[in-house]
């Protein structure tokens, strides 16, 4: 609070009139007149002003008028004058109250409690508005960047969320940031710890991006970064600088690593879905490049000869048809094209990585488990760099042959779709506290973000919502049909923290566990 009074004795008396801190306030500034008060307000932020009326120079009324032009800060007036015109003028400017000196301690204490409650309500509302605005902006950017929302619809929401992005004027680039700790250590982390880490990672990214873009949430383990700038002012160096800054500072301050996929710079920004798609494609290579990496086109030099790219689908078709001779022939032709065209090693590696990613997808779609396909270290980028072109193509021949053998050895009487496979795993393992989309993705060798999108498209709900439904329905059944303690039920359905289970159950059913059991 700021105290304003031209009488030193009055200032001192007011400071010691009561225990301000017990009411949640601290005397953080003093001023002898309105001019000094305005100077202090320009330098510092205050939650409350307590002022006299009659003062030399800028008096209390003029001070209140000027403050009200800029701020709605609560103001208490303490004056030795009971003139109605003063009271009327002060009330016109929306002061909290007009007290006559000498002020009784109980009257001032009561007013301070009211002011504090008002301030808390305003702060709570501001937090709700901020988080609501943030959630709305996340949703808009997520849908727009992925191509699920038209630009003209997104522009209207940009204005609502005060995002200064002009899709027709700005250039833009999308980066996707995946938290590596979700890959390996999530089994050791509680939900609360994971949320704290995600919050920390996002805050660090927002600090680095600053006014040049915005961060938005995609999944539990993945964020998007949208960078935008005037045309020709957004460069590859700018984008890489942001990506490197995110990687270094997240590792240093949040103590976790992230992998970043960088999309193309596009103009106008309305073409952002193209950049988003490239960023997703870059993250698909995380399996081969390893985590804690910045992956962009130059990493793999994707400018492979056009004929080679067209040759990839026939090769995959040959694998699907179990035609080993055709596989051998197509790989031989491709190697000859690369050799004749003087392809750089990076181009050959890029082709191989694309082939391996597609082999994985081919097996996953058919429900074939491929644990052994790359156990020999072939998934390592370093291993690929160490090979000659003939060795690489011989290796590719081996992987294609193994993929054919794995498909043939599959015992499934009929193809099992990826979504069905996920649901079967959930039904079998919902009681495990370690089940997650990432853990399942490792079993069926699929990128977890892509897996989440596939599941939501097929089921109309996210994986987490589906897992919650399975767990809650099982919990309802156990509460209704058994006499198990709530803690036992929570453990049975995969919750290791009872309070978290209580919260989720109440959110899902609308009643507490005891209320639910009471009406069974």
């Amino acid at each position: 609070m700021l105290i304003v009074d031209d009488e030193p004795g009055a200032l001192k008396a007011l400071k010691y009139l009561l225990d301000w801190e017990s009411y949640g306030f601290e005397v953080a500034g003093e001023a002898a007149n309105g001019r000094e008060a305005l100077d202090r307000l320009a330098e510092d932020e205050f939650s409350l002003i307590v002022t006299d009326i009659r003062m030399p120079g800028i008096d209390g009324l003029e001070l209140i008028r000027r403050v009200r032009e800029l701020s709605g800060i609560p103001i208490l007036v303490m004056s030795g004058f009971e003139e109605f015109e003063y009271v009327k003028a002060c009330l016109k400017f929306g002061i909290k109250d007009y007290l006559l000196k000498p002020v009784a301690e109980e009257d001032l204490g009561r007013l301070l409690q009211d002011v504090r409650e008002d301030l808390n309500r305003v702060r709570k509302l501001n937090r709700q508005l901020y988080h609501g605005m943030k959630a709305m902006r996340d949703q808009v950017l997520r849908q727009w960047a992925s191509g699920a929302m038209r630009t003209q619809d997104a522009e209207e929401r940009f204005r609502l969320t005060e995002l200064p992005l002009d899709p027709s004027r700005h250039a833009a680039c999308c980066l996707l940031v995946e938290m590596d700790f979700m890959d390996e250590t999530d089994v050791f982390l509680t939900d609360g710890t994971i949320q704290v880490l995600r919050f920390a990672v996002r805050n660090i990214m927002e600090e680095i991006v600053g006014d040049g873009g915005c961060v938005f949430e995609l999944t539990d383990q993945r964020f998007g970064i949208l960078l935008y700038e005037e045309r020709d002012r957004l460069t590859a160096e700018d984008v890489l600088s942001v990506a490197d800054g995110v990687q270094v500072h997240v590792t240093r301050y949040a103590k976790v690593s992230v992998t970043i996929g960088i999309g193309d710079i596009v103009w106008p920004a309305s073409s952002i879905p193209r950049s988003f798609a490239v960023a997703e494609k870059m993250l698909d290579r995380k399996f081969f490049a390893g985590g804690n990496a910045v992956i962009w086109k130059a990493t793999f030099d994707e400018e492979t000869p056009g004929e080679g790219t067209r040759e990839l689908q026939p090769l995959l078709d040959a694998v699907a048809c179990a035609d080993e001779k055709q596989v051998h022939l197509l790989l031989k032709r491709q190697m000859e094209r690369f050799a004749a065209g003087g392809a750089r090693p990076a181009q050959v590696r890029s082709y191989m990585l694309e082939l391996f990613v597609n082999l994985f997808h081919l097996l996953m779609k058919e429900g074939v488990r491929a644990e052994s396909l790359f156990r020999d270290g072939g998934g390592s980028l370093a291993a690929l760099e160490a090979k000659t072109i003939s060795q690489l193509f011989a290796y590719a021949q081996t992987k294609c042959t193994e993929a054919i053998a794995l498909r043939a050895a599959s015992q499934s009487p009929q193809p099992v779709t990826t979504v069905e496979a996920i649901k079967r795993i959930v039904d079998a393992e919902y009681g495990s506290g370690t089940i997650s989309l990432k853990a399942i993705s490792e079993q069926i060798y699929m990128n977890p973000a892509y897996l989440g999108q596939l599941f939501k498209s097929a089921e109309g709900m996210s994986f987490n919502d589906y897992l919650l439904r399975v767990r809650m329905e099982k919990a309802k059944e156990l509460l209704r049909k058994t006499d198990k303690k709530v803690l036992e039920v929570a453990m049975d359905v995969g919750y290791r923290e009872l309070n978290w289970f209580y919260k989720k159950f109440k959110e899902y059913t609308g009643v507490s566990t005891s209320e639910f059991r009471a009406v069974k």
Side-chain angles (χ1 to χ4, degrees):
M1 56 176 286
L2 171 67
I3 300 176
V4 189
D5 201 308
D6 64 325
E7 298 180 16
L11 276 175
K12 186 174 182 180
L14 188 55
K15 284 178 64 176
Y16 298 105
L17 177 62
L18 76 168
D19 182 2
W20 296 97
E21 291 189 5
S22 68
Y23 293 95
F25 290 89
E26 175 188 358
V27 178
E30 300 174 18
N33 54 56
R35 168 54 60 194
E36 289 185 16
L38 290 172
D39 290 342
R40 290 301 310 270
L41 289 166
E43 295 172 358
D44 300 303
E45 291 187 10
F46 295 91
S47 302
L48 172 65
I49 297 173
V50 179
T51 183
D52 193 6
I53 284 294
R54 288 191 176 180
M55 294 179 291
I58 296 178
D59 64 8
L61 283 177
E62 180 64 12
L63 170 64
I64 294 169
R65 186 187 69 78
R66 293 196 188 185
V67 169
R68 279 293 172 261
E69 290 177 351
L70 304 171
S71 169
I73 181 174
I75 300 174
L76 290 179
V77 174
M78 293 186 184
S79 174
F81 300 92
E82 196 178 0
E83 297 179 22
F84 178 71
E85 290 302 319
Y86 280 148
V87 177
K88 181 180 175 182
C90 289
L91 292 176
K92 182 179 72 172
F93 290 115
I95 66 167
K96 183 66 180 175
D97 211 331
Y98 191 108
L99 299 176
L100 288 175
K101 297 179 180 177
V103 179
E105 180 178 343
E106 57 270 21
D107 291 338
L108 183 56
R110 173 181 53 78
L111 276 174
L112 288 175
Q113 287 179 334
D114 290 344
V115 172
R116 183 179 180 183
E117 289 175 3
D118 288 344
L119 287 171
N120 286 335
R121 278 194 293 270
V122 170
R123 286 172 180 161
K124 182 177 180 181
L125 178 60
N126 287 338
R127 283 197 301 270
Q128 290 171 340
L129 289 173
Y130 170 75
H131 289 296
M133 191 80 74
K134 202 170 189 177
M136 183 188 298
R137 182 179 287 185
D138 276 10
Q139 182 182 37
V140 173
L141 290 172
R142 182 166 56 244
Q143 293 180 344
W144 179 61
S146 63
M149 177 182 289
R150 298 183 308 167
T151 295
Q152 48 265 51
D153 295 331
E155 283 186 284
E156 180 181 347
R157 289 166 174 80
F158 291 160
R159 288 190 289 271
L160 287 173
T161 58
E162 300 179 352
L163 181 65
L165 168 62
D166 186 339
S168 63
R169 181 169 59 88
H170 285 131
C173 181
C174 188
L175 295 78
L176 298 184
V177 182
E178 191 164 272
M179 296 179 292
D180 297 330
F181 77 87
M182 300 286 281
D183 297 352
E184 300 171 357
T185 62
D186 58 343
V187 295
F188 304 110
L189 301 175
T190 64
D191 289 335
T193 303
I194 290 174
Q195 292 308 312
V196 168
L197 285 172
R198 292 175 67 248
F199 180 78
V201 170
R202 177 165 187 160
N203 277 353
I204 292 168
M205 291 192 295
E206 288 177 340
E207 282 287 328
I208 292 169
V209 171
D211 295 332
C214 47
V215 178
F216 58 100
E217 184 176 295
L218 285 165
T219 67
D220 285 347
Q221 74 177 107
R222 184 176 288 191
F223 292 97
I225 295 177
L226 180 68
L227 302 178
Y228 54 88
E229 183 54 273
E230 300 288 342
R231 187 179 183 184
D232 299 328
R233 292 183 62 185
L234 183 62
T235 67
E237 289 76 14
D238 297 330
V239 174
L240 284 172
S241 176
V242 169
D244 290 339
V246 166
Q247 187 183 41
V248 169
H249 286 85
V250 167
T251 301
R252 180 180 300 167
Y253 298 112
K255 308 301 182 186
V256 296
S257 67
V258 293
T259 299
I260 304 172
I262 300 178
D264 293 339
I265 297 175
V266 296
W267 185 88
S270 55
S271 302
I272 197 64
R274 177 160 58 88
S275 181
F276 183 90
V278 172
E280 278 194 313
K281 194 174 183 182
M282 293 302 101
L283 269 189
D284 276 345
R285 283 142 180 77
K286 177 180 174 180
F287 177 83
F288 301 100
N292 195 27
V294 174
I295 308 173
W296 58 308
K297 280 187 174 181
T299 311
F300 298 104
D301 195 355
E302 288 204 321
E303 297 178 2
T304 53
E307 289 186 6
T309 302
R310 289 198 298 271
E311 190 71 21
L312 193 56
Q313 189 55 52
L315 178 58
L316 294 169
D317 292 341
V319 172
C321 295
D323 190 342
E324 292 188 35
K325 288 185 179 180
Q326 184 69 0
V327 167
H328 175 75
L329 178 62
L330 292 172
L331 285 172
K332 183 173 179 291
R333 286 177 181 171
Q334 183 58 55
M335 184 176 71
E336 291 170 351
R337 286 192 186 95
F338 278 137
R344 296 186 297 276
Q347 291 177 303
V348 181
R349 289 196 302 273
S350 178
Y351 173 86
M352 289 298 168
L353 290 168
E354 189 73 21
L355 170 60
F356 296 156
V357 168
N358 279 278
L359 280 178
F360 265 104
H361 286 182
L362 174 65
L363 293 172
M364 289 184 296
K365 282 188 221 178
E366 299 184 0
V368 178
R369 298 173 71 96
E371 293 91 340
S372 63
L373 194 57
F374 289 99
R375 273 186 183 161
D376 59 358
S380 164
L381 183 59
L384 291 180
E385 287 177 341
K387 298 177 184 293
T388 65
I389 188 169
S390 59
Q391 289 173 326
L392 276 174
F393 274 88
Y395 181 76
Q397 173 79 50
T398 300
K399 295 297 111 181
C400 290
T401 301
E402 289 179 5
I404 290 172
L406 284 169
R407 292 179 71 250
S410 175
Q411 298 301 310
S412 298
Q414 58 183 10
V416 178
T417 69
T418 302
V419 173
E420 288 172 345
I422 295 172
K423 292 169 73 173
R424 289 185 184 182
I425 293 172
V426 170
D427 289 342
E429 301 179 13
Y430 67 85
S432 167
T434 63
I435 187 172
S436 66
L437 191 61
K438 178 60 187 175
I440 293 175
S441 72
E442 291 175 350
Q443 294 185 46
I444 61 178
Y445 292 96
M446 188 175 238
N447 181 281
Y450 174 74
L451 193 64
Q453 294 169 5
L454 186 67
F455 188 91
K456 187 167 185 177
S457 176
E459 294 296 311
M461 68 174 70
S462 69
F463 169 81
N464 286 338
D465 286 343
Y466 178 79
L467 176 60
L468 176 68
R469 186 178 75 178
V470 170
R471 283 174 162 170
M472 291 298 108
E473 291 300 325
K474 185 61 179 178
K476 286 165 61 178
E477 181 181 343
L478 291 172
L479 289 169
R480 187 181 297 115
K481 297 182 179 180
T482 73
D483 294 324
K484 287 187 174 184
K485 296 179 179 178
V486 176
L487 176 60
E488 293 176 302
V489 172
M491 297 288 285
D492 285 348
V493 298
Y495 288 90
R496 301 297 179 260
E497 295 180 9
L498 186 57
N499 287 339
W500 188 246
F501 172 73
Y502 278 137
K503 178 182 178 182
K504 288 299 182 181
F505 189 88
K506 181 71 176 289
E507 289 176 355
Y508 184 80
T509 64
V511 297
S512 67
T513 53
S514 58
E515 290 171 332
F516 180 84
R517 221 165 203 174
V519 297
K520 71 176 182 177

